[in-house]
Amino acid sequence: MSLIKRLSATFIARLDGLVGEIEDHEAVVQTSIDEMRHRVAQARARLNQMQREEAQLQSRIATLHEDEQRWAERAKSCASTDPTRALACIERRQQCRAQAEHLAQGLISYRQSAARLSRDVTDSETRLHALSNRHSIMRARQSGTAARVATAPDSEGSLRDLETSFERWDLRLSEQELRIGDISLEDNLDDVFSRDEHDTRLRAELDALLQQEDAK
């Protein structure tokens, strides 16, 4: 094998390896982005769930405060007539207040956790968007490079061969166009004769009808 052929073979092998590396990078990046997108979606779903649970906690606390007020009104209404029942109402009132305070403390911690998760989700979504854009740019660059490599002639001989192919193609199309033109001319001439013959038959039929009319 000549030196040029050996160098060419080495270059092609290195190019194939480079392409393989590019394809591997593409697969690794795509897999990583898909995994990150999945995790961000999970975090977003968890944040939405926490926001719903926070709303439920707020609603429960508001209900307990209403119950606390209602038991207070009941205690006042029966304090003079039934002290024992009034004390029971006060006990219920205290239970509602204690539950509301306990849930309020939990709500504070819940909001802090939700706020941290919200910041993390926002940061992750921003980072994911940036990575996706960068991935798209890299894919576009790779596609453009592949297209230029595919269309770039590797030698003057390739250019000459390509030009020769175009010339032969042009010659073949020209010959076909000439043949189609001749056929079209013949078809037009045939149409002229056909119309004349048709008119002759029509006139003959008309003359026959006129003769029948004159014979009456």
Side-chain angles (χ1 to χ4, degrees):
M1 181 182 294
S2 66
L3 176 62
I4 294 178
K5 289 184 178 181
R6 286 198 299 272
L7 291 176
S8 177
T10 302
F11 173 76
I12 291 174
R14 290 180 178 177
L15 181 60
D16 289 340
L18 178 61
V19 171
E21 290 180 2
I22 292 175
E23 291 175 349
D24 289 340
H25 289 319
E26 158 70 14
V28 169
V29 170
Q30 183 64 61
T31 300
S32 299
I33 289 178
D34 289 343
E35 182 178 355
M36 184 177 182
R37 183 178 291 110
H38 178 67
R39 291 182 177 179
V40 170
Q42 286 182 324
R44 170 60 68 181
R46 175 54 183 159
L47 178 60
N48 293 337
Q49 180 181 355
M50 290 185 70
Q51 291 172 343
R52 291 192 297 270
E53 292 173 352
E54 179 182 342
Q56 292 173 357
L57 277 175
Q58 291 176 332
S59 177
R60 177 57 180 161
I61 291 172
T63 300
L64 287 171
H65 284 313
E66 293 174 357
D67 291 343
E68 179 186 357
Q69 183 63 28
R70 184 169 60 256
W71 285 116
E73 295 297 331
R74 288 173 176 174
K76 289 187 291 184
S77 66
C78 63
S80 58
T81 58
D82 193 344
T84 302
R85 179 175 292 184
L87 291 177
C89 291
I90 293 298
E91 185 177 6
R92 295 289 184 88
R93 179 174 182 263
Q94 290 177 349
Q95 291 175 354
C96 290
R97 184 194 305 145
Q99 290 180 19
E101 291 174 353
H102 177 72
L103 291 179
Q105 290 296 324
L107 181 60
I108 294 174
S109 299
Y110 210 82
R111 284 175 173 171
Q112 292 174 347
S113 299
R116 285 194 299 269
L117 180 57
S118 178
R119 289 193 298 269
D120 291 341
V121 169
T122 300
D123 292 342
S124 297
E125 288 177 340
T126 301
R127 187 162 57 252
L128 176 62
H129 182 69
L131 290 174
S132 297
N133 287 342
R134 187 177 181 184
H135 181 220
S136 298
I137 292 172
M138 294 297 291
R139 291 182 64 183
R141 287 178 58 191
Q142 179 178 336
S143 298
T145 301
R148 288 193 296 272
V149 170
T151 57
D154 57 356
S155 65
E156 291 297 327
S158 296
L159 283 175
R160 289 193 298 270
D161 292 342
L162 187 59
E163 186 63 30
T164 299
S165 297
F166 275 121
E167 291 175 356
R168 291 176 178 174
W169 191 6
D170 182 53
L171 177 61
R172 183 176 180 182
L173 289 175
S174 298
E175 292 175 349
Q176 291 176 347
E177 289 169 353
L178 288 174
R179 287 197 298 270
I180 293 174
D182 293 340
I183 293 173
S184 298
L185 179 60
E186 293 175 0
D187 289 344
N188 290 336
L189 185 59
D190 182 68
D191 290 341
V192 171
F193 279 105
S194 296
R195 284 196 297 272
D196 290 343
E197 293 167 354
H198 182 67
D199 291 342
T200 299
R201 290 193 296 270
L202 292 176
R203 283 193 295 270
E205 185 173 346
L206 178 59
D207 291 342
L209 288 174
L210 293 175
Q211 289 175 4
Q212 292 176 1
E213 186 64 25
D214 292 340
K216 291 180 180 180

